[in-house]
Amino acid sequence: MGQITLQGVRKSFGPVNIIKDANLDIENGSFVVFVGPSGCGKTTLLRLIAGLEDVTGGQILIDGRNVVDVPPAKRGLSMVFQSYALYPHMSVRGNIAFGLKMAGLPRPEINRKVEAAAATLNLTPYLDRKPRELSGGQRQRVAIGRAIVREPKAFLFDEPLSNLDAALRVQMRLEVTKLQKQLATTAVYVTHDQVEAMTMADKIVVLNAGRIEQYGSPLELYEHPANLFVAGFIGSPKMNFVPGEVAGEAGVAIIGIRPEHLKIGKDGDGWPGRVSVAEHLGSDTFLYVEGGKLGTLTVRYVGELSLRAGDRVWLTPDPARMHRFNKEGSVIRTS
Amino acid sequence: MEPLGRQEAAMTTQQVIATQQTQVVATEQTQVLGRALLSPAVVLLFIWMIVPLAMTIYFSTLHYTLMDSENWSFVGLENFRYFLTDPAFLTSLQNTLVLVGSVLAITILLGTPLALLLDQPVIGRSVVRLMVIAPFFVMPTVSALVWKNLLMHPVSGLFAWIANLFGLTPIDWFNDAPMLAVILIVAWQWLPFATLILLTALQSQDEEQKEAAEMDGASALSTFIYLTLPHLARPITVVVLIETIFLLTVFAEIFVTTGGGPGLQTTNIAFLIYSQALIQFDVGNASAGGLVAVVIANIVAFFLVRIIGRNLEV
Ligand SMILES: Nc1ncnc2c1ncn2[C@@H]1O[C@H](COP(=O)(O)OP(=O)(O)O)[C@@H](O)[C@H]1O
Ligand SMILES: [Mg+2]
């Protein structure tokens, strides 16, 4: 079991309010990703759940029990740190076994569990090496091994892949997701990378300046962002925002339209514009279109489109995929 | 366009090779220049070292006392035989080792908890740190005098006053426990050094590792044993090596407090050599003793490096 509930959780460092009233319900077995720009309080929120920081206010429930006064080790969670935080003087075996040893498990049982965890993570040949004798990806695996061997109620990950190179990151992303599904253990995963969030999460928590902006499945966030921040943060390339006259005509403050929902044509229908930059990736074409009073709009076209800088084009938004925002930046639902 | 592009590529490859060659030459030039610029200093240092050493070796083969300086003669290794078979030699060798060992033990066993304390966020930490480090800046002669006359004096010392306060008989440190007294004084001087080195090591310990251990359910004691102590192995090695070098030659503290006595109870090798040279005026014998001391220091250093030098390897 590993259900985590946050009720009105607040955290201040001195006078500075870092986490403002966080309410969240993380279901048992789900993979939840905290995503947000750097400095928004993701790590702090994760450390509050772990017990490495004390809450200023509110409650954290794990399987229905309030744990705000419970020390980290007694919460039944395990954490993978950004720096891996491996114990440098211990072998891989010692690192993975440490938690079990501290729990006072008998030696044969520790060995059995450590070897099982090592086998899961393809670490068996490295069990007697020191962390400094391992590659970045292997260290990452040891950190994960240390987390899974204790069979926790939930895993906490703090940007675990950010120190790996791009190719390895994609591979580990897949492995972590697979492992979590296989173990069916709740996972809370922090990242600033929205692609990581979209690909790994069952549910995403979008954080901004210590506030939870939206909580939902990746597709919910993509299709129905609750506000300007989420709309701009989720999706790549970023959503186009059209303020001013055009939005005014539709009776809203801002219109949002994703680059992939703008139809582009070489002759006259819709919003006129001129291509300023064209990026040809083969599979996609990204066009940056100067749209006069619309501002610069990004357009994504699937496939190759032979347009060059300077060409005149016309853009037609897909009305069903248009997002309308009021002055406060909240979405206006038109149902 | 195409062939030109290829030509350009070939050019670049050549340029790269050329640049590498220049770098090799440049490195060689730098090394030669470096050696040339260093050599005066090295030569000076060499002379600085070799002249006294050669003179010591020369004197150590002479029968030469200042009482009778006209009558000197070549005696070969007689001085060494005399020095090494002197009963005072074994006693002072033993005293030297006891002094070094005890001070090392005290400074590390006290320095570690002290460093741990100073690493905690306490109020006025910077002031406390400065005060802890202060003894290191006091000249050995001065601190020995302070200890002798103000603290350990059997009549007017602070310790005697405290003992009287509790109705106890004051200890006459320099008569009843002279070696212990010297050890305490020297340890007091070297404790700050050990503490300081260990403190900086503690501050470089990774915070996330400690948190990982906390999540793993390690108590403060377990964290200390399994994470902090291994982390301190290297700085402790450094403390042991550096302190040993200086502790083998402790002199001022003994000279000021006990004068090597009572009897030979606080005479170490350094003091023995001094007493032979300037109390007995025997230059030849003192020179032989000095050379013996050099050999002893090297033997100790050899064993130290064999035993704990491993910790210094990455
Ligand atoms: N121990 C601390 N003391 C004071 N401020 C802190 C502390 N830890 C984090 N903060 C502040 O809290 C904010 C959020 O930090 P963090 O949770 O690490 O952000 P993120 O992980 O989202 O990048 C930052 O502005 C940071 O400066
Ligand atoms: Mg962070």
Side-chain angles (χ1 to χ4, degrees):
Chain A
M1 280 296 283
Q3 176 165 19
I4 303 172
T5 309
L6 308 189
Q7 291 176 347
V9 170
R10 286 180 294 112
K11 175 69 185 174
S12 314
F13 289 110
V16 194
N17 218 341
I18 301 293
I19 301 291
K20 300 148 188 154
D21 190 34
N23 293 288
L24 202 61
D25 211 341
I26 297 172
E27 281 156 41
N28 182 34
S30 64
F31 197 114
V32 171
V33 175
F34 292 175
V35 69
S38 175
C40 69
K42 307 179 293 290
T43 299
T44 307
L45 194 55
L46 195 72
R47 290 168 58 85
L48 286 171
I49 297 174
L52 295 172
E53 304 279 0
D54 295 325
V55 295
T56 308
Q59 291 196 328
I60 297 173
L61 309 179
I62 298 179
D63 292 336
R65 189 164 78 104
N66 185 8
V67 294
V68 293
D69 294 321
V70 178
K74 297 260 159 62
R75 294 190 186 191
L77 310 173
S78 57
M79 183 148 167
V80 177
F81 292 85
Q82 184 170 4
S83 68
Y84 313 147
L86 300 181
Y87 312 129
H89 310 281
M90 296 182 203
S91 63
V92 169
R93 184 189 296 278
N95 266 279
I96 300 178
F98 190 67
L100 303 177
K101 194 165 145 189
M102 291 298 111
L105 257 63
R107 197 161 258 280
E109 198 180 340
I110 294 181
N111 283 341
R112 193 172 49 72
K113 289 190 170 189
V114 169
E115 265 143 39
T120 316
L121 293 160
N122 297 325
L123 282 172
T124 312
Y126 310 109
L127 272 176
D128 294 314
R129 290 210 197 162
K130 291 280 170 64
R132 63 165 181 274
E133 296 161 342
L134 300 176
S135 72
Q138 290 164 343
R139 285 180 205 182
Q140 177 63 73
R141 266 188 250 272
V142 177
I144 293 173
R146 200 167 61 178
I148 65 172
V149 78
R150 293 172 51 216
E151 295 166 18
K153 290 178 183 159
F155 299 120
L156 309 177
F157 295 94
D158 188 3
E159 310 219 14
L161 308 185
S162 59
N163 291 337
L164 303 179
D165 63 61
L168 202 53
R169 197 148 59 213
V170 173
Q171 186 200 330
M172 285 303 290
R173 198 162 83 191
L174 220 78
E175 283 187 29
V176 170
T177 321
K178 260 198 330 221
L179 187 67
Q180 192 268 342
K181 290 283 166 284
Q182 182 191 326
L183 299 171
T185 306
T186 313
V188 184
Y189 187 103
V190 163
T191 178
H192 64 269
D193 179 356
Q194 60 99 16
V195 177
E196 235 172 62
M198 294 295 280
T199 49
M200 300 177 87
D202 293 324
K203 280 192 156 187
I204 296 179
V205 178
V206 182
L207 280 170
N208 180 31
R211 217 183 297 278
I212 296 180
E213 297 280 355
Q214 195 172 358
Y215 179 39
S217 73
L219 277 185
E220 265 167 49
L221 299 195
Y222 177 80
E223 285 170 355
H224 307 291
N227 51 47
L228 274 178
F229 181 82
V230 177
F233 196 81
I234 300 289
S236 171
K238 273 181 66 163
M239 186 188 281
N240 296 297
F241 293 121
V242 182
E245 239 174 86
V246 181
E249 278 164 25
V252 296
I254 294 171
I255 287 176
I257 181 83
R258 294 197 185 277
E260 50 271 44
H261 300 145
L262 272 174
K263 225 166 76 213
I264 190 161
K266 288 184 194 173
D267 37 33
D269 197 15
W271 299 334
R274 196 178 286 280
V275 176
S276 63
V277 178
E279 294 173 347
H280 302 274
L281 303 184
S283 59
D284 299 85
T285 312
F286 294 125
L287 300 147
Y288 300 92
V289 177
E290 210 55 63
K293 60 188 176 188
L294 294 165
T296 304
L297 298 179
T298 316
V299 179
R300 175 178 178 199
Y301 180 86
V302 178
E304 174 56 26
L305 190 64
S306 52
L307 280 173
R308 285 158 155 262
D311 289 353
R312 278 200 76 76
V313 291
W314 277 264
L315 304 174
T316 329
D318 176 352
R321 301 293 199 117
M322 218 135 76
H323 306 267
R324 298 167 182 83
F325 301 94
N326 63 19
K327 276 206 303 295
E328 286 73 41
S330 300
V331 79
I332 301 166
R333 301 260 182 224
T334 50
S335 51
Chain B
M1 270 319 266
E2 254 298 284
L4 200 115
R6 233 176 255 155
Q7 216 172 20
E8 268 176 0
M11 281 256 299
T12 336
T13 320
Q14 275 173 354
Q15 277 168 351
V16 168
I17 293 170
T19 324
Q20 279 172 350
Q21 279 169 347
T22 336
Q23 274 170 354
V24 171
V25 174
T27 322
E28 270 170 18
Q29 279 175 345
T30 317
Q31 279 175 353
V32 170
L33 184 68
R35 282 196 201 122
L37 289 176
L38 257 176
S39 52
V42 172
V43 167
L44 199 69
L45 274 176
F46 185 70
I47 294 172
W48 190 267
M49 190 195 78
I50 206 70
V51 169
L53 185 65
M55 285 181 68
T56 311
I57 292 173
Y58 173 63
F59 281 128
S60 72
T61 59
L62 303 181
H63 172 76
Y64 179 36
T65 72
L66 297 177
M67 304 293 275
D68 187 15
S69 57
E70 304 295 311
N71 276 324
W72 59 271
S73 57
F74 181 78
V75 292
L77 295 177
E78 179 59 24
N79 281 326
F80 288 94
R81 198 190 61 78
Y82 183 81
F83 187 86
L84 290 174
T85 52
D86 186 350
F89 168 70
L90 273 186
T91 313
S92 55
L93 178 63
Q94 197 187 341
N95 286 340
T96 307
L97 296 180
V98 167
L99 180 63
V100 173
S102 313
V103 173
L104 280 177
I106 293 175
T107 51
I108 286 165
L109 291 183
L110 281 183
T112 309
L114 209 55
L116 282 171
L117 275 179
L118 290 177
D119 195 32
Q120 305 299 316
V122 290
I123 314 162
R125 179 162 62 167
S126 51
V127 178
V128 175
R129 279 185 190 169
L130 191 69
M131 275 164 53
V132 168
I133 287 145
F136 203 50
F137 297 113
V138 181
M139 266 186 279
T141 337
V142 175
S143 76
L145 277 172
V146 169
W147 276 85
K148 183 186 182 185
N149 296 325
L150 299 181
L151 298 176
M152 289 178 162
H153 196 281
V155 179
S156 57
L158 182 68
F159 295 165
W161 182 76
I162 292 174
N164 284 327
L165 215 60
F166 290 99
L168 302 168
T169 325
I171 305 168
D172 184 0
W173 287 93
F174 298 108
N175 280 317
D176 297 342
M179 195 53 173
L180 181 61
V182 172
I183 287 170
L184 285 180
I185 296 171
V186 178
W188 179 81
Q189 285 175 343
W190 282 94
L191 183 59
F193 174 75
T195 308
L196 198 63
I197 301 268
L198 296 176
L199 177 61
T200 47
L202 283 179
Q203 286 169 334
S204 74
Q205 195 180 6
D206 185 46
E207 209 55 42
E208 280 197 345
Q209 274 171 31
K210 285 192 257 178
E211 285 175 350
E214 199 181 342
M215 296 285 299
D216 267 343
S219 63
L221 183 67
S222 300
T223 309
F224 177 76
I225 293 173
Y226 291 108
L227 291 186
T228 310
L229 266 190
H231 178 74
L232 288 182
R234 192 182 299 201
I236 286 178
T237 309
V238 170
V239 168
V240 169
L241 288 177
I242 293 182
E243 281 195 13
T244 304
I245 293 168
F246 286 92
L247 293 177
L248 280 171
T249 61
V250 164
F251 175 77
E253 293 84 346
I254 297 172
F255 180 74
V256 169
T257 54
T258 62
L264 288 173
Q265 282 189 60
T266 54
T267 299
N268 63 356
I269 298 276
F271 198 85
L272 181 69
I273 294 166
Y274 158 79
S275 66
Q276 292 194 331
L278 288 175
I279 298 177
Q280 299 165 23
F281 299 108
D282 189 339
V283 176
N285 207 7
S287 299
L291 290 175
V292 169
V294 169
V295 172
I296 290 173
N298 276 296
I299 291 172
V300 171
F302 175 79
F303 279 110
L304 276 180
V305 170
R306 282 298 290 278
I307 296 164
I308 58 175
R310 201 159 33 86
N311 287 334
L312 292 179
E313 283 158 23
V314 181

